[in-house]
Amino acid sequence: MKKLFATVLLSISAASAYAGAYGSQSVLVVEDDTGKVLIEKNANAVVPIASLTKLMTAMVVLDARQDMDAPISIDKVDVDMLKHSTSRVPVGASIARRDVLQLALMSSDNRAAASLGRTYPGGTEAFKAAVKAKIAALGMTQTSIEEPTGLSPDNRSSASDMVKMAVAASAYPEIARITTDSKDIININGRGVEYHNTNRFVGAKGWDIGLSKTGYTEEAGRCLIMRIKAAGKNATLVLLNASASSVRAFDAVSIRRFMGGEDVRAARAHPRAEDRAARKSLRTRIAKHGKARHRRA
């Protein structure tokens, strides 16, 4: 028993020892096959989760077994009046529910997510009740979600609970597929419009991603959930409250290299060519589209 206790302490200490190398305020990396905690930093701190919320929205919507081919009309009430985030989905557009789900998850569109909650069977209050029940069913004791987009700072959770949500979401083939699409063309008012994944690692060379969701608000900082495979290992990672997209990206790159047996500090000091390219892509995207658009991520 003493030997087992010592082994557990050593595992926790090792996971915590690497935490200082990461810029995100909360970090948790769990090996999927064993449940072993690989990296842990402030994993039980309860903080705003921004658009990571949309994974919960998607699960509740899919649980309701609504007609995914049925059209949803984007309404004025779906427009973000809290953060005034941008959207390329026009008010009045009629879009199939499956495409609205695609927009909410892949490109993190807030109007799309809001419309999914609004058109839930029984309306917004029934949606909130379903979310509350799902949170309880998953044992997410550190989580509260008040609305479907993640714009509200009252949508709060911990990295520990977000791992539970990621594992549950990955069991939905539709969610896994959508969140790992790098882009898609959606029919908007009879015209094909191309949308891209908010996570630039999706589809990037060297990345094997099974689930993905980004998040950002001023209160939440830059957030990320991914299930990845690296060096033959499968792991779920959660990053909360990074100060910038570059910090979030750097943390993700460092985690992948750590899973491959590399020293985290060395990885950060000497990034590979593909890692530098990924970060350059992020910087280019931010410069091109501006900060305002990234509020939805």
Side-chain angles (χ1 to χ4, degrees), residues 109-207:
D109 189 272
N110 291 317
R111 291 182 190 177
S115 73
L116 289 171
R118 175 176 55 81
T119 60
Y120 185 84
T124 302
E125 290 306 311
F127 171 82
K128 289 173 66 175
V131 167
K132 187 175 182 180
K134 188 73 170 180
I135 288 171
L138 295 177
M140 297 169 62
T141 59
Q142 299 172 314
T143 301
S144 59
I145 293 177
E146 299 298 322
E147 51 80 37
T149 68
L151 290 167
S152 171
D154 292 331
N155 286 15
R156 299 171 64 85
S157 188
S158 65
S160 293
D161 269 10
M162 288 292 94
V163 165
K164 296 177 184 178
M165 186 175 74
V167 171
S170 67
Y172 292 72
E174 195 75 353
I175 295 177
R177 179 191 62 77
I178 291 172
T179 63
T180 54
D181 282 344
S182 59
K183 62 182 179 180
D184 196 11
I185 296 177
I186 306 294
N187 189 314
I188 306 288
N189 293 333
R191 182 172 66 93
V193 181
E194 187 171 270
Y195 291 84
H196 292 261
N197 200 306
T198 53
N199 183 359
R200 304 304 287 178
F201 290 129
V202 171
K205 182 180 178 181
W207 287 85

Side-chain angles (χ1 to χ4, degrees), residues 79-87 110-111 151 292-293 295-296:
V79 175
D80 169 25
M81 301 304 291
L82 179 63
K83 302 290 187 182
H84 304 286
S85 56
T86 59
S87 173
N110 291 317
R111 291 182 190 177
L151 290 167
R293 182 166 292 177
R295 286 177 180 165
R296 69 178 184 272

Side-chain angles (χ1 to χ4, degrees), residues 238-254:
V238 176
L239 304 173
L240 301 177
N241 197 15
S243 59
S245 292
S246 57
V247 173
R248 180 175 67 184
F250 214 166
D251 283 351
V253 167
S254 297

Side-chain angles (χ1 to χ4, degrees), residues 100-114:
V100 175
L101 184 64
Q102 183 93 14
L103 290 167
L105 285 176
M106 185 187 71
S107 60
S108 206
D109 189 272
N110 291 317
R111 291 182 190 177

Side-chain angles (χ1 to χ4, degrees), residues 51-65:
S51 286
L52 301 188
T53 296
K54 293 182 174 84
L55 287 175
M56 179 61 72
T57 297
M59 285 192 287
V60 168
V61 166
L62 290 171
D63 286 347
R65 299 186 181 279

